[in-house]
Amino acid sequence: AQSVTQLGSHVSVSEGALVLLRCNYSSSVPPYLFWYVQYPNQGLQLLLKYTTGATLVKGINGFEAEFKKSETSFHLTKPSAHMSDAAEYFCAVSVAGGSYIPTFGRGTSLIVHP
Amino acid sequence: GAGVSQSPSNKVTEKGKDVELRCDPISGHTALYWYRQSLGQGLEFLIYFQGNSAPDKSGLPSDRFSAERTGGSVSTLTIQRTQQEDSAVYLCASSLAYGLGTGYNSPLHFGNGTRLTVT
């Protein structure tokens, strides 16, 4: 079975600083990896996903993530944080051959200070 | 609208009462998921539908919880004899999960959730 670990339940950055949200996965077969964002009082929406091919994936709102098989990681980054980036971020994994049910991490709350 | 719709958006109920939560998925999405989100607890998987059948009910916390889906579309999550620990946000999502090799990388599209408060 697959699993996801998000390091840090809260990450605090200053506006304009680099954003780095960490995600490590465990899977015995090649994974499909996703990052979702949840703004207050809303559902989750897809930021980006990795399926196959290029390991550096670009998403919406200037976010990107890099799939590193050797490190079993899929960290989310953004060069310069905006106040509007403050939200909850979830990493998720699914695998071919398993169920269609993706496994989600516990989430990381991004706090952006002026 | 083109997105996943959940109703009601908020529900306050007394302990011991039954509640029904509704989800309208995106048209054409064959897979439908229910999750529960409690404060600081992340997303807890409840149940998954492929069409009208539920291959995996392992996440339902107790026999007070049940769900159905009709016509491959609308789904209802029912909680009987609600308890205070049932208070949470219940999220519904749908996706184009169909066939091997195609459904596994389909992202989920979430509704805004139903906030359930049991007093």
Side-chain angles (χ1 to χ4, degrees), chain B residues 39-90:
Chain B
L39 190 62
Q41 295 298 311
L43 287 170
E44 176 187 5
F45 167 75
L46 297 178
I47 190 169
Y48 153 73
F49 288 91
Q50 178 69 309
N52 290 334
S53 63
D56 192 329
K57 302 180 181 179
S58 62
L60 294 176
S62 75
D63 59 7
R64 296 186 296 104
F65 287 72
S66 64
E68 65 174 12
R69 188 180 185 193
T70 56
S73 181
V74 173
S75 176
T76 303
L77 177 69
T78 301
I79 309 173
Q80 296 178 308
R81 304 181 302 282
T82 52
Q83 304 294 312
Q84 288 186 331
E85 61 262 28
D86 299 334
S87 296
V89 176
Y90 289 82

Side-chain angles (χ1 to χ4, degrees), chain A residues 30-103:
Chain A
Y32 300 113
L33 295 159
F34 308 81
W35 274 100
Y36 291 84
V37 60
Q38 184 181 33
Y39 298 105
N41 300 314
Q42 294 185 26
L44 283 69
Q45 58 181 277
L46 182 71
L47 266 180
L48 49 79
K49 70 176 184 180
Y50 167 80
T51 54
T52 59
T55 56
L56 182 62
V57 180
K58 295 185 184 298
I60 62 172
N61 301 337
F63 284 93
E64 62 182 36
E66 185 171 10
F67 170 59
K68 292 187 176 180
K69 183 179 178 181
S70 61
E71 299 178 7
T72 60
S73 69
F74 191 58
H75 302 331
L76 182 70
T77 61
K78 182 174 180 178
S80 176
H82 295 166
M83 296 295 292
S84 60
D85 294 327
E88 190 84 13
Y89 291 80
F90 293 90
C91 183
V93 61
S94 66
V95 296
S99 76
Y100 290 109
I101 306 165
T103 300

